[in-house]
Amino acid sequence: MTRVLVVEDDAQLARALVINLQARKYTVDAAPDGATALRLVAAEQPDLILLDLGLPDMDGIEVIKALRGWSRAPVLVLSARSGSEDKIRALDVGADDYMTKPFSMDELLARLRAATRRTIESPPPTQTAMVVGTDEFTVDLLAKRVRRGDRDIRLTPTEWHLLEILVTHPGVLVSQRRLLTEVWGPSYRGKTNYLRVYMAQLRRKLEADPAHPRHLVTEPGMGYRFEA
Ligand code: CA
């Protein structure tokens, strides 16, 4: 049973979320403010946290910062703020995904499934589950092999590293900063031009129409998302 904590001060929205999630067999706790949220994360150890940024007692960003010292539960931010600066801040302090209000319940559920799949699957599953496939290409994470149609695609180590991070987080937005830090190192985290160059190379190798990618999707100003 997946346990979800809904942190939302808008009582009507909180109620709608709780009802919808319970209908999908999630176990749901709700917190109307940041302090309650932190208490419930410690007490209930949810598998996933849905977090509003605008809370009455503290900013959602502060909640994420406070959590990240001791909880690894994925945080999906729900916010009325659509500015990319807030999204980047939230992702940088450790949020896993970000949705701007208003959102559809179907999209929320899809993102939630993606985020929980990721935690449940890490550490990586056994050999048989190490191939990630799309209708264009397949990635064998164990053999470090990419195939498109009936041929092997040669990737540079940097291209491989980027692709590996993205395909092991299917459906999840991975921030520019995180990709730069993991692939190139912390001192490169502002070098978004590196990402643009390498993502363009990957798309030329893997996407049917690199100008309109279907699998290696850009979230402008924020990061990249792998869609199977
Ligand atoms: Ca709010």
Side-chain angles (χ1 to χ4, degrees):
M1 187 81 85
T2 306
R3 182 177 278 271
V4 179
L5 174 63
V6 174
V7 187
E8 172 61 73
D9 62 321
D10 174 339
Q12 209 175 341
L13 177 56
R15 200 174 130 72
L17 288 168
V18 170
I19 289 170
N20 271 282
L21 291 171
Q22 284 175 337
R24 269 91 177 173
K25 309 291 175 218
Y26 290 97
T27 306
V28 190
D29 300 299
D33 56 55
T36 309
L38 291 171
R39 202 165 56 240
L40 284 176
V41 175
E44 307 294 344
Q45 306 196 336
D47 300 296
L48 184 118
I49 300 159
L50 297 181
L51 176 69
D52 177 31
L53 285 190
L55 296 169
D57 59 338
M58 61 200 283
D59 194 286
I61 299 281
E62 299 306 318
V63 175
I64 304 171
K65 282 188 192 164
L67 280 178
R68 275 301 173 244
W70 46 274
S71 169
R72 298 187 53 176
V75 174
L76 205 173
V77 169
L78 309 173
S79 180
R81 307 174 196 165
S82 60
S84 62
E85 199 155 311
D86 277 312
K87 298 182 188 178
I88 293 164
R89 276 178 66 220
L91 295 169
D92 277 347
V93 296
D96 293 79
D97 205 348
Y98 193 107
M99 292 186 73
T100 304
K101 295 176 188 173
F103 49 81
S104 78
M105 197 54 72
D106 284 343
E107 188 181 4
L108 173 72
L109 291 165
R111 300 275 192 97
L112 195 145
R113 280 193 299 273
T116 46
R117 202 160 48 227
R118 187 166 72 75
T119 7
I120 289 159
E121 281 177 3
S122 76
T126 49
Q127 214 155 338
T128 47
M130 295 295 275
V131 177
V132 181
T134 72
D135 52 1
E136 292 290 343
F137 57 89
T138 57
V139 181
D140 185 331
L141 293 163
L142 206 66
K144 296 196 180 243
R145 200 160 168 228
V146 183
R147 284 183 73 78
R148 185 170 169 198
D150 55 2
R151 58 196 185 94
D152 283 321
I153 302 294
R154 290 172 64 92
L155 299 183
T156 67
T158 303
E159 290 167 353
W160 170 262
H161 199 164
L162 274 176
L163 183 66
E164 186 180 40
I165 296 169
L166 291 169
V167 301
T168 50
H169 299 77
V172 175
L173 170 62
V174 184
S175 75
Q176 293 175 342
R177 187 170 293 200
R178 176 162 168 201
L179 288 168
L180 287 162
T181 305
E182 284 193 28
V183 176
W184 282 276
S187 58
Y188 289 82
R189 61 184 180 219
K191 304 271 188 191
T192 51
N193 55 321
Y194 283 36
L195 277 179
R196 276 196 294 276
V197 169
Y198 278 88
M199 290 303 296
Q201 284 174 199
L202 274 176
R203 286 173 177 147
R204 273 199 297 277
K205 292 181 179 183
L206 301 178
E207 294 273 1
D209 180 359
H212 302 95
R214 290 172 47 230
H215 305 293
L216 303 170
V217 180
T218 304
E219 298 267 353
M222 295 169 57
Y224 297 88
R225 187 190 297 277
F226 168 70
E227 301 284 0

